[in-house]
Amino acid sequence: MNPAFSVIFLTTLIGVGQGLFVAMVTGQSISALGFLPEQSNQYYVFGSIVVIGFLIAGLVASFFHLGHPERAWRAAAMWRTSWLSREVIVLPLLMGAVFVYGLINYSEWNLSELGITNGFKGDLALIVGIAGVVITFALFICTGMIYACIKFLQEWSHPLTVINFTLFGLCSGFLLATLIAQYRAPDFVSLFGGCSLVFLLLVLITRLWSLYRNSKIRHKSTLQSAIGIRHNKIQQKSQGFMGGSVNTRDFFHHVGPIFFKSIKWIFLLLVFPVAMALLISGMMQQSVVLLAIAFGLQYVGLLAERWFFFAQANHPQNLYYQTIS
Amino acid sequence: MDMKPSKKQLALVIDLNVCVGCHACVTSCKEWNTSGISGYMSDDNPYGEDPTGNFFNRVQTFEVGEYPNTETVHFPKSCLHCEEPPCVPVCPTGASYKREEDGIVLVDYDKCIGCRYCSWACPYGAREIDEHQKVMKKCTLCVDRIYDEELPKEERKPACVMACPTNARLFGDVHDPDSNVSVAIREEGGYALMPEWNTKPANHYLPRRRTQRSINDDELVRADNPLNKEIEVSKPNFDEPSLDDSTSW
Ligand code: SF4
Ligand code: SF4
């Protein structure tokens, strides 16, 4: 496929936002249980604003992909059959949940206002937060399934697609959470940084697994099945037109093999060892700057990863467009 | 997603045995549809540096075999109006739909948001977004011709079918076992493209068939000749009178 930058930014940006939100709620739950010191409400409010910022940035990026963004609301119609439609519903739902979570933290509302008292500080925020985390995972599934549900894009059509989208989002979101914690809530740094490292190692395994799987794929569609002629030697002599068309532009990445391979190495390097080294040294030196560089470089690596994810998928329609004339 | 099989399923059957690759269906399709309800069909820089545009139908050419045993196959390709169209359930807006009444797969341009997802979900590359109107376009099976009562009955067919000089394109209801298309599929080996994805294309293709007779040598020369029918009959010499010289008719 030809990677579309709008979609690359959409999936990576909302991934960061989702991961960051999961981190905030995790931190708040653990401190409510008393394992870590309590943090100020401003910290959670600030975090929620950053999460919403990333989600909105992703949404804006996605609009660049649409021919008619003014009609985007129509995309909520077919949630029964379409994962894209489900994503279109779940994303604003998550924004709403994060907004309410931030608002509750801001106003310091508690269940005690409803006459329910218990020992937990911020109990109402936690309830909304946990509901938000459920929505976050639903969104990861929707986003991943958009790609994983197309059977004949065999590189995508596997649970690993959903798993990788989720783990990359969590890993980058927790990394950003570490950065914010270093700045606003140092008690959380080792929790978030540690989680980010765990997700990093997990996604290293699953992404390498999917790269291995993709390198071994035998494509079910062949020129023989595409035109229905049984013969080992078939050559296209003409694709029917000399100029370009959507078919020749949209479904192939149009870069040379060296560029293509180097993107793979760039993402493997930036997302994994580089980010890991910077994260660990940032945590040890308690340096906001190092953590910021770690997040920035990992995000660039994630852009490369997503580019490669799209570019590596082989669309069977390309079988019909091998030779201009 | 399992779709209820529609009562009727209109479709094309394309006979690769007689297609000569003249592109008459391509041009007549573009001509009809650019001015019809599903138009326009963009055509940018048609004579310039980098021409591009929309087509609902293309004719491609393949060479099968190795020289000198090769065969040229001209291969027209348009939306196959699949009975299990993977392009339809993925559409988030419902702009892409398959008609209950005749199985034609259509796009409602007023609902389409131009997200291209359906074109990713068609294994055949039969959907092309219009870069100007920013909506998804594809073959409509000339839905604006085939029911038009203003047209004489024999012209209520897709424009490509009307244009084909070799009758390589048949049009009809593949769910009616007695229709011309069903008979052709059944009796002449009609097949579907990329059956591996279970899209159940409604359009079918008829294979190349060599018209070959197997003749033994002894069928060309009569080996035995019991009645001596083929003995040389003696002719008169040139200077001898023949029947023509003595008789006036
Ligand atoms: S050929 Fe492609 S566009 Fe047409 S119905 Fe089948 S999947 Fe959909
Ligand atoms: S491009 Fe239009 S028809 Fe295709 S999936 Fe998107 S909204 Fe539906």
Side-chain angles (χ1 to χ4, degrees):
Chain A
M1 302 294 295
N2 196 5
F5 273 95
S6 44
V7 184
I8 293 178
F9 278 107
L10 161 71
T11 53
T12 49
L13 286 170
I14 62 173
V16 173
Q18 287 166 268
L20 177 58
F21 183 64
V22 175
M24 304 297 293
V25 177
T26 311
Q28 197 172 13
S29 315
I30 288 180
S31 70
L33 292 173
F35 294 116
L36 281 173
E38 275 175 14
Q39 303 299 321
S40 71
N41 286 60
Q42 279 77 28
Y43 163 68
Y44 295 110
V45 175
F46 178 74
S48 310
I49 292 171
V50 178
V51 171
I52 291 184
F54 271 92
L55 296 181
I56 288 179
L59 191 67
V60 170
S62 77
F63 277 11
F64 285 97
H65 186 68
L66 301 184
H68 286 278
E70 78 282 3
R71 299 179 190 159
W73 58 272
R74 285 187 178 276
M78 300 307 280
W79 55 272
R80 281 188 199 79
T81 61
S82 168
W83 284 104
L84 179 51
S85 185
R86 290 173 196 155
E87 183 187 45
V88 166
I89 294 170
V90 176
L91 179 55
L93 207 63
L94 178 61
M95 288 177 173
V98 179
F99 177 77
V100 174
Y101 171 80
L103 186 68
I104 292 172
N105 272 308
Y106 177 76
S107 328
E108 305 190 18
W109 286 333
N110 271 308
L111 280 181
S112 57
E113 329 235 345
L114 304 171
I116 307 168
T117 41
N118 53 40
F120 295 113
K121 181 177 181 283
D123 47 7
L124 188 58
L126 274 179
I127 291 173
V128 175
I130 288 167
V133 168
V134 173
I135 300 174
T136 302
F137 280 94
L139 182 55
F140 276 130
I141 293 173
C142 292
T143 313
M145 281 306 291
I146 289 175
Y147 308 100
C149 78
I150 306 179
K151 277 185 288 182
F152 46 80
L153 283 165
Q154 288 175 261
E155 286 83 355
W156 296 352
S157 177
H158 194 271
L160 276 174
T161 301
V162 180
I163 294 171
N164 287 337
F165 270 69
T166 309
L167 288 176
F168 275 126
L170 290 174
C171 173
S172 57
F174 271 82
L175 179 48
L176 181 60
T178 319
L179 167 62
I180 296 175
Q182 183 60 53
Y183 172 58
R184 288 253 173 161
D187 301 323
F188 284 176
V189 168
S190 23
L191 169 70
F192 292 162
C195 287
S196 183
L197 283 175
V198 170
F199 291 131
L200 193 77
L201 292 176
L202 286 177
V203 73
L204 178 63
I205 297 169
T206 56
R207 190 61 173 112
L208 287 180
W209 180 5
S210 80
L211 286 176
Y212 173 76
R213 177 181 170 269
N214 289 352
S215 69
K216 292 272 173 263
I217 279 184
R218 281 191 60 210
H219 289 105
K220 284 193 195 164
S221 288
T222 58
L223 196 47
Q224 282 72 16
S225 77
I227 64 172
I229 294 177
R230 274 192 169 272
H231 199 298
N232 292 341
K233 289 250 156 43
I234 305 179
Q235 260 188 338
Q236 184 164 42
K237 289 290 168 186
S238 149
Q239 61 184 17
F241 52 97
M242 309 277 281
S245 81
V246 178
N247 303 78
T248 57
R249 285 190 296 268
D250 257 21
F251 297 90
F252 188 67
H253 51 67
H254 303 286
V255 299
I258 296 176
F259 185 92
F260 180 74
K261 277 219 184 90
S262 59
I263 295 285
K264 180 172 83 182
W265 288 110
I266 287 174
F267 98 68
L268 285 176
L269 228 69
L270 287 183
V271 175
F272 301 107
V274 171
M276 191 186 315
L278 284 165
L279 170 59
I280 293 173
S281 56
M283 279 163 71
M284 292 200 317
Q285 300 176 24
Q286 305 185 339
S287 155
V288 175
V289 178
L290 277 182
L291 290 173
I293 298 174
F295 174 72
L297 285 183
Q298 188 180 58
Y299 185 72
V300 173
L302 282 180
L303 294 178
E305 189 277 337
R306 225 32 63 87
W307 186 94
F308 192 79
F309 168 81
F310 285 104
Q312 207 187 20
N314 264 302
H315 200 291
Q317 78 105 37
N318 291 345
L319 291 168
Y320 296 107
Y321 299 91
Q322 301 286 331
T323 314
I324 291 175
S325 149
Chain B
M1 189 178 73
D2 267 355
M3 302 238 169
K4 262 186 276 146
S6 44
K7 281 164 249 140
K8 196 160 126 187
Q9 174 67 64
L10 296 179
L12 297 171
V13 168
I14 292 160
D15 191 346
L16 299 182
N17 201 37
V18 292
C19 175
V20 291
C22 70
H23 290 246
C25 53
V26 178
T27 50
S28 72
C29 166
K30 183 121 176 172
E31 192 277 332
W32 173 263
N33 283 303
T34 200
S35 33
I37 54 153
S38 43
Y40 60 90
M41 292 169 78
S42 49
D43 201 9
D44 300 325
N45 295 327
Y47 306 105
E49 182 87 330
D50 193 10
T52 181
N54 280 73
F55 286 84
F56 294 169
N57 178 34
R58 315 246 186 202
V59 177
Q60 310 191 313
T61 303
F62 295 89
E63 188 177 87
V64 179
E66 225 170 341
Y67 182 82
N69 290 320
T70 56
E71 225 180 308
T72 303
V73 178
H74 300 292
F75 179 84
K77 176 171 85 77
S78 55
C79 169
L80 308 168
H81 298 279
C82 303
E83 301 204 36
E84 301 279 350
C87 56
V88 168
V90 300
C91 172
T93 61
S96 277
Y97 62 105
K98 184 170 178 71
R99 302 200 336 162
E100 283 277 329
E101 61 268 39
D102 53 15
I104 299 180
V105 176
L106 290 177
V107 180
D108 181 341
Y109 295 169
D110 294 331
K111 284 191 190 161
C112 175
I113 55 173
C115 68
R116 298 166 185 244
Y117 193 26
C118 55
S119 70
W120 296 10
C122 165
Y124 309 100
R127 292 174 166 252
E128 300 185 13
I129 196 152
D130 184 312
E131 306 278 8
H132 299 278
Q133 284 183 315
K134 306 277 186 199
V135 291
M136 196 51 75
K137 297 195 169 175
K138 63 181 280 302
C139 160
T140 65
L141 222 48
C142 283
V143 70
D144 53 345
R145 276 193 74 93
I146 56 179
Y147 295 112
D148 186 352
E149 309 220 323
E150 309 267 287
L151 291 173
K153 209 157 184 191
E154 60 283 4
E155 284 184 26
R156 290 180 212 159
K157 291 178 186 164
C160 56
V161 175
M162 297 286 298
C164 181
T166 64
N167 211 14
R169 304 177 75 92
L170 312 177
F171 169 66
D173 175 11
V174 288
H175 280 187
D176 168 6
D178 300 322
S179 66
N180 57 339
V181 280
S182 294
V183 171
I185 293 170
R186 199 163 59 233
E187 300 191 349
E188 305 190 49
Y191 63 85
L193 305 183
M194 293 190 193
E196 59 272 23
W197 304 118
N198 294 323
T199 56
K200 301 213 181 89
N203 285 11
H204 281 70
Y205 286 75
L206 304 183
R208 299 273 295 165
R209 284 145 295 179
R210 279 247 179 102
T211 30
Q212 223 175 21
R213 278 193 286 168
S214 47
I215 299 173
N216 290 329
D217 283 348
D218 64 349
E219 289 172 84
L220 290 173
V221 178
R222 212 176 288 196
D224 45 2
N225 190 10
L227 298 177
N228 276 347
K229 282 283 191 212
E230 274 152 23
I231 48 170
E232 290 277 309
V233 181
S234 62
K235 286 185 195 142
N237 276 334
F238 282 119
D239 49 351
E240 285 175 18
S242 69
L243 198 58
D244 289 345
D245 297 322
S246 53
T247 320
S248 64
W249 295 94

